[in-house]
Amino acid sequence: MMTPAERRRALAGGVFSLAGILLFVGLAVFALLTFAGASSSSMSALADPYTLRILRFTLLQALLSTLLSVALAMPVALALARQRRFFGRIWIIRLMAVPMGLPVLIGALGLLAIWGRRGIVNDTLAWLGLQEPIHIYGLAGILLAHVFFNLPLACRLMLIGLERIPAEYWLVSGNLGMPGLSVFRFIEWPALRRLVPGIAGLIFMLCATSFTLVLILGGGPAATTLEVAIYQSLRFDFAPQRAVSLALMQIVVTAGILGFLTLFPAPEDRGIAAGKPVRRLDGRKIAARLWDVTVLSLAVLFLGLPLAAVALAGARADLPKLLGETIFWRAALTSLSIALGAGLLSVSLAMAITQAREAIAAKRNPARIARLFSATLGGTSSLVLLVPPVVLATGWFLLLLPGGDTSMLAPVLVLGINTLMSLPFVIRIVAPAMAAHRIRTARLSASLGLAGWTRLRLIDWPGLKKPLLMALSFAMALSLGDLGAVALFGADGLTTLPWLLYSRLGSYRTTDADGLALLLGLICLGLTIAGTAGLKIPEERDER
């Protein structure tokens, strides 16, 4: 229940939020379209063989990455769902969350330490007499990295669906003595079948708009995606015409993918199910246990070894020397300032959008324009998927190019781009929490006559503190690990920790890069722990 004053404030906040987002994104797109209209070569480049080759590779690597991620995640999710009571299960599930909150650049360094030319795998194979049989750079490295980051996401989403299967299904299957294939065919696959299209579509979108992984592991022009080609066209070749044509093609591709995703239900990650305890007799057979232990062990090694390699390599670096460098503290201060600003702005936008939609939904018969406004607010978070960060940065780069120096506004632009980049994820945390809080406290607040700042201080903040801090920490971690926006504007005047790490890596100062990766990872891990402090994951209970 909202008072008329609260409803007016909520709608005003929604209007200002929508106007700000549309203005920021619209100016960038306007700059791209204006530049393309003024240059005939920009439009003709859309049919250029080079552009079409990059488009084919972008879609090919996204398709292969999606197929591998989903196919490999399924047996891991099935094993976790089947073996519900063993020591360390909850830690494996938590390990699945680490790559999703890890800066992409750190994950790439960890994969290089394991699978690279001088990595553990190649050193072991060389000791066995084989000479560098694994080449991580190129398509193979991109697929490996995408599986590393997306397999945990697919596994967690599948596990949610499997744990929502009613306990009675397992009771009946145990009484009937159903074999493993029949259990999968009649019980597990129907639950997964509804989730797989949405999961695959989400991963395909993430892989099609991948930037940092392809930049690090692409290995040359033969393995370049649209976003990396945009960056190279502006940063190295300074070919704005080609950059604009690639950016417009990227918008068309992402629009097509988003349109395709609307045909399927979006997968939801609401945490581990805590319903009725389940007894699964199919997981007690020796063959099933051996298979599940093997699958889970391989998954832990695949995900854990790169993380351990980053920690060990970083520990061997000269950390006191890095901490004594002025450029490190300048980069850290810049990164934290941008991350905090982007996090606060993203959470504020998410709250304003959610409150405006709740104010409209609270009316019994909202007008058509109100329903349209609510739907538009709901779609604003998808703008960053439609216009990815590198494309946004390209539009603003071209918009500011006539002025000559873009470094003055670079921090503000990076902050704005990072805000929109984290907004879809922040809304997924904030919106359900605010809706549940409103249901619990609306009538009580109205009966006590609490409104405005008094209600915020006494009711809203205590009830929403944990999810808001969680959203803030997640948004800050995303911003801290971002390299896409900084890649175009990064220079001596704007140096962030990821940009400093990438610069040291590019100048073959790998020891410094390892140390910076460890420090950046610890900062992001600290933010994640701080944001999730007090949140409990329900444990499985044994029903005897």
Side-chain angles (χ1 to χ4, degrees):
M1 298 176 66
M2 287 187 178
T3 65
E6 288 178 330
R7 186 176 292 109
R8 287 193 298 269
R9 284 196 297 268
L11 293 176
V15 170
F16 282 116
S17 300
L18 179 62
I21 294 173
L22 293 180
L23 182 65
F24 189 82
V25 176
L27 287 175
V29 175
F30 174 77
L32 292 173
L33 295 176
T34 302
F35 195 94
S39 175
S40 58
S41 59
S42 297
M43 301 307 295
S44 61
L46 290 173
D48 183 79
Y50 170 77
T51 305
L52 295 178
R53 177 166 57 84
I54 292 175
L55 174 62
R56 284 196 298 270
F57 181 82
T58 300
L59 298 178
L60 174 65
Q61 62 85 21
L63 177 62
L64 294 177
S65 298
T66 302
L67 292 176
L68 288 173
S69 298
V70 173
L72 295 176
M74 191 173 295
V76 179
L78 291 172
L80 283 172
R82 186 161 43 234
Q83 305 297 335
R84 302 174 66 89
R85 301 177 185 92
F86 68 90
F87 178 77
R89 179 180 186 269
I90 192 64
W91 292 105
I92 294 179
I93 294 174
R94 286 171 176 165
L95 176 64
M96 296 288 174
V98 173
M100 294 187 288
L102 188 73
V104 175
L105 195 55
I106 297 177
L109 289 178
L111 291 171
L112 286 172
I114 301 299
W115 302 92
R117 186 178 62 180
R118 297 183 179 179
I120 295 175
V121 174
N122 273 331
D123 286 347
T124 303
L125 294 176
W127 181 75
L128 295 174
L130 299 175
Q131 295 298 322
E132 197 179 330
I134 297 178
H135 301 273
I136 192 173
Y137 292 102
L139 178 60
I142 294 172
L143 296 180
L144 180 68
H146 281 161
V147 172
F148 174 78
F149 280 98
N150 294 312
L151 182 149
L153 172 63
C155 180
R156 285 178 64 92
L157 294 174
M158 290 179 185
L159 185 59
I160 299 301
L162 291 172
E163 292 195 338
R164 288 174 180 164
I165 296 176
E168 290 77 12
Y169 285 28
W170 305 117
L171 181 61
V172 172
S173 68
N175 291 334
L176 294 177
M178 294 175 64
L181 289 178
S182 297
V183 170
F184 176 77
R185 178 184 176 186
F186 295 109
I187 300 178
E188 294 173 324
W189 174 243
L192 293 175
R193 184 175 55 194
R194 297 189 296 270
L195 297 174
V196 167
I199 295 172
L202 175 61
I203 294 176
F204 188 90
M205 169 65 78
L206 294 174
C207 295
T209 57
S210 178
F211 173 76
T212 305
L213 288 177
V214 181
L215 183 66
I216 300 296
L217 301 174
T224 301
T225 58
L226 288 171
E227 293 212 0
V228 174
I230 293 170
Y231 164 72
Q232 292 172 342
S233 298
L234 288 178
R235 190 76 182 181
F236 298 114
D237 303 332
F238 196 71
Q241 295 86 358
R242 188 197 310 159
V244 168
S245 64
L246 293 169
L248 293 176
M249 181 171 287
Q250 178 77 327
I251 293 176
V252 172
V253 169
T254 52
I257 298 173
L258 283 175
F260 181 73
L261 288 180
T262 58
L263 302 177
F264 304 100
E268 296 183 2
D269 185 359
R270 296 181 179 176
I272 307 213
K276 184 179 178 181
V278 173
R279 294 184 62 189
R280 292 193 56 172
L281 300 180
D282 58 323
R284 299 183 180 183
K285 298 178 181 178
I286 296 179
R289 287 187 175 183
L290 289 176
W291 169 258
D292 292 340
V293 168
T294 302
V295 169
L296 294 177
S297 299
L298 291 175
V300 169
L301 288 175
F302 178 69
L303 298 175
L305 284 179
L307 302 177
V310 170
L312 292 175
R316 289 195 299 264
D318 192 352
L319 295 179
K321 169 181 170 291
L322 288 174
L323 293 173
E325 294 181 357
T326 304
I327 190 172
F328 169 78
W329 291 106
R330 188 176 68 187
L333 181 60
T334 301
S335 293
L336 289 172
S337 300
I338 292 175
L340 180 59
L344 291 174
L345 188 55
S346 182
V347 172
S348 300
L349 287 173
M351 292 181 66
I353 290 172
T354 302
Q355 287 178 335
R357 299 194 71 191
E358 287 182 353
I360 295 173
K363 292 185 176 181
R364 292 186 177 181
N365 294 308
R368 180 177 299 179
I369 189 172
R371 294 196 300 269
L372 178 61
F373 178 56
S374 178
T376 305
L377 284 173
T380 50
S381 61
S382 300
L383 281 177
V384 70
L385 301 176
L386 179 62
V387 188
V390 172
V391 177
L392 270 177
T394 302
W396 277 101
F397 182 87
L398 295 174
L399 193 65
L400 299 177
L401 188 61
D405 186 13
T406 62
S407 61
M408 295 294 294
L409 291 176
V412 178
L413 294 177
V414 173
L415 188 151
I417 292 172
N418 287 348
T419 298
L420 292 184
M421 177 183 67
S422 59
L423 185 59
F425 306 98
V426 171
I427 284 183
R428 290 191 63 181
I429 298 173
V430 171
M434 290 186 64
H437 174 77
R438 179 74 64 178
I439 293 173
R440 290 195 304 266
T441 63
R443 292 186 180 277
L444 176 62
S445 300
S447 64
L448 295 176
L450 297 177
W453 289 106
T454 304
R455 172 174 173 168
L456 177 63
R457 180 172 58 88
L458 299 177
I459 303 295
D460 293 339
W461 174 245
L464 295 173
K465 178 172 62 176
K466 289 182 179 179
L468 291 180
L469 290 178
M470 180 181 178
L472 176 63
S473 65
F474 191 71
M476 289 183 64
L478 281 177
S479 180
L480 276 172
D482 173 60
L483 184 64
V486 181
L488 281 179
F489 297 105
D492 293 336
L494 179 63
T495 302
T496 62
L497 285 177
W499 180 249
L500 181 61
L501 196 164
Y502 178 67
S503 301
R504 296 290 172 88
L505 192 64
S507 58
Y508 299 101
R509 298 169 64 178
T510 54
T511 303
D512 286 353
D514 292 335
L516 290 170
L518 176 61
L519 294 173
L520 179 59
L522 289 176
I523 294 174
C524 292
L525 180 61
L527 284 172
T528 303
I529 294 175
T532 56
L535 297 179
K536 297 181 180 180
I537 299 177
E539 301 281 354
E540 295 293 342
R541 295 176 298 162
D542 196 355
E543 185 184 67
R544 299 291 182 182

